Amino acid sequence: MMVELVLDAKATLAEGPLWDAKKQCLYWLDILENEVHIYDPATRADRSIRLDQHIGALALTKDGGAIVALQKGIYFLDLDTERISLICSPEAHLTNNRFNDGKCDSKGRFWAGTMSMDENEGNGGSQPAGALYCLEGNGHVRKAFGGVTISNGIAWSPDDRIMYYIDSPTKQVTAFDFDALTGELANKRTVVAFAEAEGIPDGMTIDEDGMIWVAHWGGYQVSRWNPSTGRKLLQIDVPVRNVTSCAFGGKHLDELYITTSSIGVTEAEKTG
Ligand code: BGC
Ligand code: CA
């Protein structure tokens, strides 16, 4: 398996790849540049929308709009007018937090988590000041759980009975029993543990066999795992230190789009 550079975006923190099967295009974000990008593989054109806050995640609505998890809350984004309107702001009191990764489940609930923005400050790194939230279709938001340091990848098993979740600094992928009807989570356990040299787990997706694909921040790779055994099945080397997320796309959903970050990349690595 070979990786190919499809868009030399020079992004700071490219993230949140999401394939739009209807429009056959890829949404992705530059979290720290406050940008939504819409990439058309057919023309190689990349449109960008600049917002006024950091953006951690984007999901599409049925009517062709988007929901975005920003620094100060979750908003609707009109992709034509580029205007945002607030849905909820569950951490209005935590001004140092921002939303990070998020995704919709099969019933259309939008799950998104938060993290402290001083992740790299101080001696011990960031504090577990974040949480995972669930926004229901009726606009009601609830906190699924707190105690999260850097809320990241989310994925559901093909049978919709398990939700996988990553809090990056734990270096683990955890699983919960998932009740698709109510959105309740239960029975948290660890299914994948990263070795010291592999970096930390960031974004994640899942394939039709129920195997999870994880981006390695600080680990130069995307890996495929069997969550039932905890075994690593595949490693795809990526020539960038901080690999942030991945998502399947393309006509047959057989292409894996991978995002990366230039944070911490040396000048030699950039030109090498
Ligand atoms: C966050 C970054 C963080 C990285 C590694 C990303 O999802 O947006 O701020 O450094 O994960 O944990
Ligand atoms: Ca991420």
Side-chain angles (χ1 to χ4, degrees):
M1 241 174 267
M2 286 281 290
V3 295
E4 178 198 341
L5 178 63
V6 292
L7 180 66
D8 190 6
K10 309 258 185 275
T12 304
L13 182 52
E15 270 277 5
L18 174 71
W19 181 252
D20 185 339
K22 229 185 266 170
K23 296 189 180 143
Q24 293 286 305
C25 65
L26 185 85
Y27 292 79
W28 63 277
L29 319 166
D30 191 330
I31 295 182
L32 298 179
E33 303 299 334
N34 311 349
E35 287 169 359
V36 172
H37 288 255
I38 308 170
Y39 173 69
D40 180 351
T43 61
R44 300 209 150 209
D46 184 60
R47 171 187 164 203
S48 74
I49 300 173
R50 173 69 66 107
L51 304 175
D52 66 351
Q53 304 169 37
H54 294 337
I55 169 162
L58 175 146
L60 296 170
T61 62
K62 271 190 192 153
D63 59 6
I67 287 182
V68 286
L70 305 185
Q71 193 175 319
K72 297 179 186 160
I74 302 176
Y75 299 72
F76 282 117
L77 167 64
D78 184 317
L79 293 167
D80 297 321
T81 64
E82 306 189 354
R83 286 265 177 80
I84 56 170
S85 51
L86 184 68
I87 302 171
C88 62
S89 188
E91 292 191 348
H93 56 299
L94 299 174
T95 51
N96 216 20
N97 274 12
R98 67 163 168 87
F99 270 98
N100 200 40
D101 211 339
K103 231 172 233 180
C104 277
D105 69 18
S106 62
K107 299 285 183 278
R109 301 180 194 93
F110 181 57
W111 297 75
T114 58
M115 58 177 272
S116 166
M117 286 188 284
D118 43 43
E119 59 175 309
N120 299 316
E121 285 170 20
N123 300 324
S126 61
Q127 298 299 311
L132 181 71
Y133 295 90
C134 174
L135 175 65
E136 308 275 352
N138 60 10
H140 178 253
V141 69
R142 65 183 167 85
K143 191 196 239 185
F145 50 80
V148 174
T149 305
I150 300 182
S151 193
N152 254 317
I154 306 172
W156 287 269
S157 62
D159 68 6
D160 223 13
R161 292 169 70 164
I162 301 173
M163 185 177 111
Y164 298 103
Y165 176 74
I166 291 171
D167 178 3
S168 292
T170 65
K171 304 192 81 184
Q172 294 176 351
V173 181
T174 53
F176 295 87
D177 294 340
F178 177 67
D179 184 335
L181 282 181
T182 62
E184 290 302 320
L185 305 174
N187 189 22
K188 182 182 180 190
R189 65 256 182 205
T190 299
V191 289
V192 163
F194 268 32
E196 198 54 43
E198 297 194 300
I200 61 174
D202 196 331
M204 154 173 69
T205 193
I206 193 158
D207 62 32
E208 59 188 5
D209 298 325
M211 303 297 132
I212 54 180
W213 298 68
V214 187
H216 292 232
W217 179 273
Y220 295 92
Q221 62 181 285
V222 170
S223 54
R224 181 179 188 243
W225 301 75
N226 182 340
S228 306
T229 62
R231 295 244 331 253
K232 189 178 186 181
L233 306 172
L234 197 69
Q235 169 170 332
I236 301 168
D237 295 323
V238 179
V240 182
R241 177 190 304 275
N242 292 325
V243 187
T244 56
S245 192
C246 57
F248 288 101
K251 229 183 217 102
H252 309 290
L253 293 178
D254 58 355
E255 291 170 291
L256 188 74
Y257 282 98
I258 299 170
T259 51
T260 62
S261 171
S262 55
I263 293 171
V265 175
T266 64
E267 283 311 311
E269 281 175 326
K270 276 184 193 165
T271 52

